[in-house]
mmCIF file with all atom_site columns, all heavy atoms in Angstrom:
data_model
loop_
_atom_site.group_PDB
_atom_site.id
_atom_site.type_symbol
_atom_site.label_atom_id
_atom_site.label_alt_id
_atom_site.label_comp_id
_atom_site.label_asym_id
_atom_site.label_entity_id
_atom_site.label_seq_id
_atom_site.pdbx_PDB_ins_code
_atom_site.Cartn_x
_atom_site.Cartn_y
_atom_site.Cartn_z
_atom_site.occupancy
_atom_site.B_iso_or_equiv
_atom_site.pdbx_formal_charge
_atom_site.auth_seq_id
_atom_site.auth_comp_id
_atom_site.auth_asym_id
_atom_site.auth_atom_id
_atom_site.pdbx_PDB_model_num
ATOM 1   N N   . ARG A 1 268 ? 11.773 24.007 20.516 1.00 95.00 ? 839 ARG A N   1
ATOM 2   C CA  . ARG A 1 268 ? 12.245 25.239 19.810 1.00 95.00 ? 839 ARG A CA  1
ATOM 3   C C   . ARG A 1 268 ? 11.749 26.485 20.526 1.00 95.00 ? 839 ARG A C   1
ATOM 4   O O   . ARG A 1 268 ? 10.515 26.600 20.763 1.00 95.00 ? 839 ARG A O   1
ATOM 5   C CB  . ARG A 1 268 ? 11.723 25.149 18.375 1.00 95.00 ? 839 ARG A CB  1
ATOM 6   C CG  . ARG A 1 268 ? 11.881 26.421 17.560 1.00 95.00 ? 839 ARG A CG  1
ATOM 7   C CD  . ARG A 1 268 ? 13.307 26.690 17.204 1.00 95.00 ? 839 ARG A CD  1
ATOM 8   N NE  . ARG A 1 268 ? 13.412 27.697 16.161 1.00 95.00 ? 839 ARG A NE  1
ATOM 9   C CZ  . ARG A 1 268 ? 14.566 28.341 15.851 1.00 95.00 ? 839 ARG A CZ  1
ATOM 10  N NH1 . ARG A 1 268 ? 15.683 28.056 16.486 1.00 95.00 ? 839 ARG A NH1 1
ATOM 11  N NH2 . ARG A 1 268 ? 14.616 29.278 14.961 1.00 95.00 ? 839 ARG A NH2 1
ATOM 12  N N   . GLU A 1 269 ? 12.655 27.366 20.876 1.00 92.00 ? 840 GLU A N   1
ATOM 13  C CA  . GLU A 1 269 ? 12.214 28.547 21.607 1.00 92.00 ? 840 GLU A CA  1
ATOM 14  C C   . GLU A 1 269 ? 12.424 29.864 20.710 1.00 92.00 ? 840 GLU A C   1
ATOM 15  O O   . GLU A 1 269 ? 13.377 29.941 19.924 1.00 92.00 ? 840 GLU A O   1
ATOM 16  C CB  . GLU A 1 269 ? 13.086 28.726 22.855 1.00 92.00 ? 840 GLU A CB  1
ATOM 17  C CG  . GLU A 1 269 ? 12.742 27.720 23.927 1.00 92.00 ? 840 GLU A CG  1
ATOM 18  C CD  . GLU A 1 269 ? 13.380 28.082 25.297 1.00 92.00 ? 840 GLU A CD  1
ATOM 19  O OE1 . GLU A 1 269 ? 14.045 29.171 25.396 1.00 92.00 ? 840 GLU A OE1 1
ATOM 20  O OE2 . GLU A 1 269 ? 13.121 27.371 26.276 1.00 92.00 ? 840 GLU A OE2 1
ATOM 21  N N   . GLN A 1 270 ? 11.452 30.712 20.775 1.00 93.00 ? 841 GLN A N   1
ATOM 22  C CA  . GLN A 1 270 ? 11.538 32.070 20.147 1.00 93.00 ? 841 GLN A CA  1
ATOM 23  C C   . GLN A 1 270 ? 10.890 33.017 21.187 1.00 93.00 ? 841 GLN A C   1
ATOM 24  O O   . GLN A 1 270 ? 9.870  32.726 21.848 1.00 93.00 ? 841 GLN A O   1
ATOM 25  C CB  . GLN A 1 270 ? 10.713 32.024 18.872 1.00 93.00 ? 841 GLN A CB  1
ATOM 26  C CG  . GLN A 1 270 ? 11.324 31.221 17.742 1.00 93.00 ? 841 GLN A CG  1
ATOM 27  C CD  . GLN A 1 270 ? 12.578 31.883 17.107 1.00 93.00 ? 841 GLN A CD  1
ATOM 28  O OE1 . GLN A 1 270 ? 12.499 32.641 16.223 1.00 93.00 ? 841 GLN A OE1 1
ATOM 29  N NE2 . GLN A 1 270 ? 13.751 31.506 17.618 1.00 93.00 ? 841 GLN A NE2 1
ATOM 30  N N   . PHE A 1 271 ? 11.482 34.166 21.245 1.00 95.00 ? 842 PHE A N   1
ATOM 31  C CA  . PHE A 1 271 ? 10.974 35.242 22.137 1.00 95.00 ? 842 PHE A CA  1
ATOM 32  C C   . PHE A 1 271 ? 10.869 34.745 23.586 1.00 95.00 ? 842 PHE A C   1
ATOM 33  O O   . PHE A 1 271 ? 10.022 35.070 24.364 1.00 95.00 ? 842 PHE A O   1
ATOM 34  C CB  . PHE A 1 271 ? 9.591  35.784 21.660 1.00 95.00 ? 842 PHE A CB  1
ATOM 35  C CG  . PHE A 1 271 ? 9.538  36.187 20.227 1.00 95.00 ? 842 PHE A CG  1
ATOM 36  C CD1 . PHE A 1 271 ? 8.926  35.389 19.261 1.00 95.00 ? 842 PHE A CD1 1
ATOM 37  C CD2 . PHE A 1 271 ? 10.119 37.409 19.885 1.00 95.00 ? 842 PHE A CD2 1
ATOM 38  C CE1 . PHE A 1 271 ? 8.949  35.791 17.946 1.00 95.00 ? 842 PHE A CE1 1
ATOM 39  C CE2 . PHE A 1 271 ? 10.113 37.780 18.530 1.00 95.00 ? 842 PHE A CE2 1
ATOM 40  C CZ  . PHE A 1 271 ? 9.487  36.998 17.618 1.00 95.00 ? 842 PHE A CZ  1
ATOM 41  N N   . GLY A 1 272 ? 11.861 33.818 23.902 1.00 94.00 ? 843 GLY A N   1
ATOM 42  C CA  . GLY A 1 272 ? 12.015 33.411 25.287 1.00 94.00 ? 843 GLY A CA  1
ATOM 43  C C   . GLY A 1 272 ? 11.098 32.320 25.721 1.00 94.00 ? 843 GLY A C   1
ATOM 44  O O   . GLY A 1 272 ? 11.150 31.946 26.906 1.00 94.00 ? 843 GLY A O   1
ATOM 45  N N   . LYS A 1 273 ? 10.349 31.666 24.834 1.00 96.00 ? 844 LYS A N   1
ATOM 46  C CA  . LYS A 1 273 ? 9.491  30.523 25.238 1.00 96.00 ? 844 LYS A CA  1
ATOM 47  C C   . LYS A 1 273 ? 9.297  29.582 24.062 1.00 96.00 ? 844 LYS A C   1
ATOM 48  O O   . LYS A 1 273 ? 9.505  29.988 22.921 1.00 96.00 ? 844 LYS A O   1
ATOM 49  C CB  . LYS A 1 273 ? 8.242  31.005 25.808 1.00 96.00 ? 844 LYS A CB  1
ATOM 50  C CG  . LYS A 1 273 ? 7.395  31.922 24.848 1.00 96.00 ? 844 LYS A CG  1
ATOM 51  C CD  . LYS A 1 273 ? 6.156  32.419 25.627 1.00 96.00 ? 844 LYS A CD  1
ATOM 52  C CE  . LYS A 1 273 ? 5.340  33.404 24.800 1.00 96.00 ? 844 LYS A CE  1
ATOM 53  N NZ  . LYS A 1 273 ? 4.132  33.875 25.503 1.00 96.00 ? 844 LYS A NZ  1
ATOM 54  N N   . PRO A 1 274 ? 8.882  28.334 24.370 1.00 95.00 ? 845 PRO A N   1
ATOM 55  C CA  . PRO A 1 274 ? 8.720  27.295 23.260 1.00 95.00 ? 845 PRO A CA  1
ATOM 56  C C   . PRO A 1 274 ? 7.657  27.818 22.328 1.00 95.00 ? 845 PRO A C   1
ATOM 57  O O   . PRO A 1 274 ? 6.663  28.392 22.671 1.00 95.00 ? 845 PRO A O   1
ATOM 58  C CB  . PRO A 1 274 ? 8.245  26.124 24.054 1.00 95.00 ? 845 PRO A CB  1
ATOM 59  C CG  . PRO A 1 274 ? 8.750  26.241 25.401 1.00 95.00 ? 845 PRO A CG  1
ATOM 60  C CD  . PRO A 1 274 ? 8.678  27.740 25.689 1.00 95.00 ? 845 PRO A CD  1
ATOM 61  N N   . ILE A 1 275 ? 7.864  27.546 21.021 1.00 95.00 ? 846 ILE A N   1
ATOM 62  C CA  . ILE A 1 275 ? 6.990  28.022 20.009 1.00 95.00 ? 846 ILE A CA  1
ATOM 63  C C   . ILE A 1 275 ? 5.530  27.301 20.127 1.00 95.00 ? 846 ILE A C   1
ATOM 64  O O   . ILE A 1 275 ? 4.543  27.844 19.687 1.00 95.00 ? 846 ILE A O   1
ATOM 65  C CB  . ILE A 1 275 ? 7.468  27.862 18.584 1.00 95.00 ? 846 ILE A CB  1
ATOM 66  C CG1 . ILE A 1 275 ? 7.736  26.414 18.236 1.00 95.00 ? 846 ILE A CG1 1
ATOM 67  C CG2 . ILE A 1 275 ? 8.746  28.681 18.381 1.00 95.00 ? 846 ILE A CG2 1
ATOM 68  C CD1 . ILE A 1 275 ? 8.115  26.181 16.740 1.00 95.00 ? 846 ILE A CD1 1
ATOM 69  N N   . ALA A 1 276 ? 5.547  26.222 20.780 1.00 95.00 ? 847 ALA A N   1
ATOM 70  C CA  . ALA A 1 276 ? 4.253  25.461 21.017 1.00 95.00 ? 847 ALA A CA  1
ATOM 71  C C   . ALA A 1 276 ? 3.307  26.292 21.852 1.00 95.00 ? 847 ALA A C   1
ATOM 72  O O   . ALA A 1 276 ? 2.099  26.081 21.835 1.00 95.00 ? 847 ALA A O   1
ATOM 73  C CB  . ALA A 1 276 ? 4.507  24.096 21.686 1.00 95.00 ? 847 ALA A CB  1
ATOM 74  N N   . SER A 1 277 ? 3.809  27.216 22.669 1.00 95.00 ? 848 SER A N   1
ATOM 75  C CA  . SER A 1 277 ? 2.957  28.049 23.521 1.00 95.00 ? 848 SER A CA  1
ATOM 76  C C   . SER A 1 277 ? 2.276  29.143 22.775 1.00 95.00 ? 848 SER A C   1
ATOM 77  O O   . SER A 1 277 ? 1.353  29.796 23.338 1.00 95.00 ? 848 SER A O   1
ATOM 78  C CB  . SER A 1 277 ? 3.818  28.607 24.666 1.00 95.00 ? 848 SER A CB  1
ATOM 79  O OG  . SER A 1 277 ? 4.802  29.551 24.171 1.00 95.00 ? 848 SER A OG  1
ATOM 80  N N   . PHE A 1 278 ? 2.683  29.389 21.533 1.00 96.00 ? 849 PHE A N   1
ATOM 81  C CA  . PHE A 1 278 ? 2.004  30.418 20.712 1.00 96.00 ? 849 PHE A CA  1
ATOM 82  C C   . PHE A 1 278 ? 0.759  29.820 20.059 1.00 96.00 ? 849 PHE A C   1
ATOM 83  O O   . PHE A 1 278 ? 0.805  28.712 19.462 1.00 96.00 ? 849 PHE A O   1
ATOM 84  C CB  . PHE A 1 278 ? 2.925  31.025 19.666 1.00 96.00 ? 849 PHE A CB  1
ATOM 85  C CG  . PHE A 1 278 ? 4.087  31.732 20.266 1.00 96.00 ? 849 PHE A CG  1
ATOM 86  C CD1 . PHE A 1 278 ? 5.385  31.158 20.273 1.00 96.00 ? 849 PHE A CD1 1
ATOM 87  C CD2 . PHE A 1 278 ? 3.934  32.998 20.893 1.00 96.00 ? 849 PHE A CD2 1
ATOM 88  C CE1 . PHE A 1 278 ? 6.440  31.834 20.778 1.00 96.00 ? 849 PHE A CE1 1
ATOM 89  C CE2 . PHE A 1 278 ? 5.052  33.622 21.419 1.00 96.00 ? 849 PHE A CE2 1
ATOM 90  C CZ  . PHE A 1 278 ? 6.299  33.070 21.369 1.00 96.00 ? 849 PHE A CZ  1
ATOM 91  N N   . GLN A 1 279 ? -0.337 30.539 20.068 1.00 96.00 ? 850 GLN A N   1
ATOM 92  C CA  . GLN A 1 279 ? -1.583 29.977 19.532 1.00 96.00 ? 850 GLN A CA  1
ATOM 93  C C   . GLN A 1 279 ? -1.452 29.623 18.036 1.00 96.00 ? 850 GLN A C   1
ATOM 94  O O   . GLN A 1 279 ? -2.057 28.671 17.596 1.00 96.00 ? 850 GLN A O   1
ATOM 95  C CB  . GLN A 1 279 ? -2.712 31.004 19.719 1.00 96.00 ? 850 GLN A CB  1
ATOM 96  C CG  . GLN A 1 279 ? -3.312 30.966 21.128 1.00 96.00 ? 850 GLN A CG  1
ATOM 97  C CD  . GLN A 1 279 ? -4.552 31.784 21.222 1.00 96.00 ? 850 GLN A CD  1
ATOM 98  O OE1 . GLN A 1 279 ? -4.944 32.497 20.298 1.00 96.00 ? 850 GLN A OE1 1
ATOM 99  N NE2 . GLN A 1 279 ? -5.221 31.708 22.391 1.00 96.00 ? 850 GLN A NE2 1
ATOM 100 N N   . GLY A 1 280 ? -0.648 30.425 17.302 1.00 96.00 ? 851 GLY A N   1
ATOM 101 C CA  . GLY A 1 280 ? -0.515 30.171 15.918 1.00 96.00 ? 851 GLY A CA  1
ATOM 102 C C   . GLY A 1 280 ? 0.019  28.748 15.634 1.00 96.00 ? 851 GLY A C   1
ATOM 103 O O   . GLY A 1 280 ? -0.342 28.085 14.644 1.00 96.00 ? 851 GLY A O   1
ATOM 104 N N   . ILE A 1 281 ? 0.947  28.281 16.465 1.00 97.00 ? 852 ILE A N   1
ATOM 105 C CA  . ILE A 1 281 ? 1.488  26.881 16.372 1.00 97.00 ? 852 ILE A CA  1
ATOM 106 C C   . ILE A 1 281 ? 0.614  25.922 17.078 1.00 97.00 ? 852 ILE A C   1
ATOM 107 O O   . ILE A 1 281 ? 0.305  24.843 16.570 1.00 97.00 ? 852 ILE A O   1
ATOM 108 C CB  . ILE A 1 281 ? 2.913  26.911 16.936 1.00 97.00 ? 852 ILE A CB  1
ATOM 109 C CG1 . ILE A 1 281 ? 3.842  27.826 16.151 1.00 97.00 ? 852 ILE A CG1 1
ATOM 110 C CG2 . ILE A 1 281 ? 3.460  25.470 17.001 1.00 97.00 ? 852 ILE A CG2 1
ATOM 111 C CD1 . ILE A 1 281 ? 4.037  27.430 14.686 1.00 97.00 ? 852 ILE A CD1 1
ATOM 112 N N   . GLY A 1 282 ? 0.154  26.236 18.293 1.00 97.00 ? 853 GLY A N   1
ATOM 113 C CA  . GLY A 1 282 ? -0.630 25.312 19.071 1.00 97.00 ? 853 GLY A CA  1
ATOM 114 C C   . GLY A 1 282 ? -1.916 24.938 18.400 1.00 97.00 ? 853 GLY A C   1
ATOM 115 O O   . GLY A 1 282 ? -2.296 23.731 18.346 1.00 97.00 ? 853 GLY A O   1
ATOM 116 N N   . PHE A 1 283 ? -2.574 25.883 17.783 1.00 98.00 ? 854 PHE A N   1
ATOM 117 C CA  . PHE A 1 283 ? -3.800 25.585 17.051 1.00 98.00 ? 854 PHE A CA  1
ATOM 118 C C   . PHE A 1 283 ? -3.558 24.722 15.796 1.00 98.00 ? 854 PHE A C   1
ATOM 119 O O   . PHE A 1 283 ? -4.365 23.849 15.454 1.00 98.00 ? 854 PHE A O   1
ATOM 120 C CB  . PHE A 1 283 ? -4.520 26.848 16.652 1.00 98.00 ? 854 PHE A CB  1
ATOM 121 C CG  . PHE A 1 283 ? -5.230 27.587 17.736 1.00 98.00 ? 854 PHE A CG  1
ATOM 122 C CD1 . PHE A 1 283 ? -5.106 27.168 19.073 1.00 98.00 ? 854 PHE A CD1 1
ATOM 123 C CD2 . PHE A 1 283 ? -6.030 28.706 17.515 1.00 98.00 ? 854 PHE A CD2 1
ATOM 124 C CE1 . PHE A 1 283 ? -5.794 27.777 20.126 1.00 98.00 ? 854 PHE A CE1 1
ATOM 125 C CE2 . PHE A 1 283 ? -6.654 29.385 18.578 1.00 98.00 ? 854 PHE A CE2 1
ATOM 126 C CZ  . PHE A 1 283 ? -6.516 28.905 19.868 1.00 98.00 ? 854 PHE A CZ  1
ATOM 127 N N   . MET A 1 284 ? -2.423 24.957 15.170 1.00 97.00 ? 855 MET A N   1
ATOM 128 C CA  . MET A 1 284 ? -2.060 24.213 14.017 1.00 97.00 ? 855 MET A CA  1
ATOM 129 C C   . MET A 1 284 ? -1.853 22.725 14.399 1.00 97.00 ? 855 MET A C   1
ATOM 130 O O   . MET A 1 284 ? -2.313 21.795 13.784 1.00 97.00 ? 855 MET A O   1
ATOM 131 C CB  . MET A 1 284 ? -0.783 24.768 13.333 1.00 97.00 ? 855 MET A CB  1
ATOM 132 C CG  . MET A 1 284 ? -0.404 24.010 12.099 1.00 97.00 ? 855 MET A CG  1
ATOM 133 S SD  . MET A 1 284 ? 1.130  24.673 11.372 1.00 97.00 ? 855 MET A SD  1
ATOM 134 C CE  . MET A 1 284 ? 0.589  26.367 10.868 1.00 97.00 ? 855 MET A CE  1
ATOM 135 N N   . LEU A 1 285 ? -1.135 22.461 15.491 1.00 98.00 ? 856 LEU A N   1
ATOM 136 C CA  . LEU A 1 285 ? -0.911 21.141 16.017 1.00 98.00 ? 856 LEU A CA  1
ATOM 137 C C   . LEU A 1 285 ? -2.258 20.490 16.396 1.00 98.00 ? 856 LEU A C   1
ATOM 138 O O   . LEU A 1 285 ? -2.414 19.325 16.161 1.00 98.00 ? 856 LEU A O   1
ATOM 139 C CB  . LEU A 1 285 ? 0.053  21.169 17.256 1.00 98.00 ? 856 LEU A CB  1
ATOM 140 C CG  . LEU A 1 285 ? 1.488  21.606 16.945 1.00 98.00 ? 856 LEU A CG  1
ATOM 141 C CD1 . LEU A 1 285 ? 2.272  21.758 18.224 1.00 98.00 ? 856 LEU A CD1 1
ATOM 142 C CD2 . LEU A 1 285 ? 2.190  20.602 16.028 1.00 98.00 ? 856 LEU A CD2 1
ATOM 143 N N   . ALA A 1 286 ? -3.176 21.230 17.060 1.00 98.00 ? 857 ALA A N   1
ATOM 144 C CA  . ALA A 1 286 ? -4.421 20.681 17.434 1.00 98.00 ? 857 ALA A CA  1
ATOM 145 C C   . ALA A 1 286 ? -5.203 20.228 16.139 1.00 98.00 ? 857 ALA A C   1
ATOM 146 O O   . ALA A 1 286 ? -5.822 19.182 16.230 1.00 98.00 ? 857 ALA A O   1
ATOM 147 C CB  . ALA A 1 286 ? -5.191 21.722 18.211 1.00 98.00 ? 857 ALA A CB  1
ATOM 148 N N   . ASP A 1 287 ? -5.171 21.043 15.155 1.00 98.00 ? 858 ASP A N   1
ATOM 149 C CA  . ASP A 1 287 ? -5.889 20.713 13.945 1.00 98.00 ? 858 ASP A CA  1
ATOM 150 C C   . ASP A 1 287 ? -5.293 19.452 13.318 1.00 98.00 ? 858 ASP A C   1
ATOM 151 O O   . ASP A 1 287 ? -6.013 18.503 12.771 1.00 98.00 ? 858 ASP A O   1
ATOM 152 C CB  . ASP A 1 287 ? -5.871 21.789 12.921 1.00 98.00 ? 858 ASP A CB  1
ATOM 153 C CG  . ASP A 1 287 ? -6.813 22.981 13.278 1.00 98.00 ? 858 ASP A CG  1
ATOM 154 O OD1 . ASP A 1 287 ? -7.700 22.746 14.115 1.00 98.00 ? 858 ASP A OD1 1
ATOM 155 O OD2 . ASP A 1 287 ? -6.664 24.046 12.755 1.00 98.00 ? 858 ASP A OD2 1
ATOM 156 N N   . MET A 1 288 ? -3.960 19.393 13.308 1.00 98.00 ? 859 MET A N   1
ATOM 157 C CA  . MET A 1 288 ? -3.277 18.198 12.716 1.00 98.00 ? 859 MET A CA  1
ATOM 158 C C   . MET A 1 288 ? -3.669 16.945 13.485 1.00 98.00 ? 859 MET A C   1
ATOM 159 O O   . MET A 1 288 ? -4.038 15.949 12.848 1.00 98.00 ? 859 MET A O   1
ATOM 160 C CB  . MET A 1 288 ? -1.760 18.408 12.835 1.00 98.00 ? 859 MET A CB  1
ATOM 161 C CG  . MET A 1 288 ? -1.254 19.513 11.926 1.00 98.00 ? 859 MET A CG  1
ATOM 162 S SD  . MET A 1 288 ? 0.457  20.086 12.378 1.00 98.00 ? 859 MET A SD  1
ATOM 163 C CE  . MET A 1 288 ? 1.439  18.629 12.006 1.00 98.00 ? 859 MET A CE  1
ATOM 164 N N   . ALA A 1 289 ? -3.593 16.989 14.811 1.00 98.00 ? 860 ALA A N   1
ATOM 165 C CA  . ALA A 1 289 ? -3.972 15.777 15.607 1.00 98.00 ? 860 ALA A CA  1
ATOM 166 C C   . ALA A 1 289 ? -5.386 15.385 15.362 1.00 98.00 ? 860 ALA A C   1
ATOM 167 O O   . ALA A 1 289 ? -5.735 14.133 15.329 1.00 98.00 ? 860 ALA A O   1
ATOM 168 C CB  . ALA A 1 289 ? -3.718 16.110 17.053 1.00 98.00 ? 860 ALA A CB  1
#
Side-chain angles (χ1 to χ4, degrees):
R839 171 70 167 166
E840 292 192 358
Q841 292 285 274
F842 307 103
K844 55 185 178 180
I846 63 173
S848 66
F849 296 105
Q850 283 190 349
I852 298 296
F854 285 5
M855 185 182 294
L856 294 172
D858 286 345
M859 293 160 67

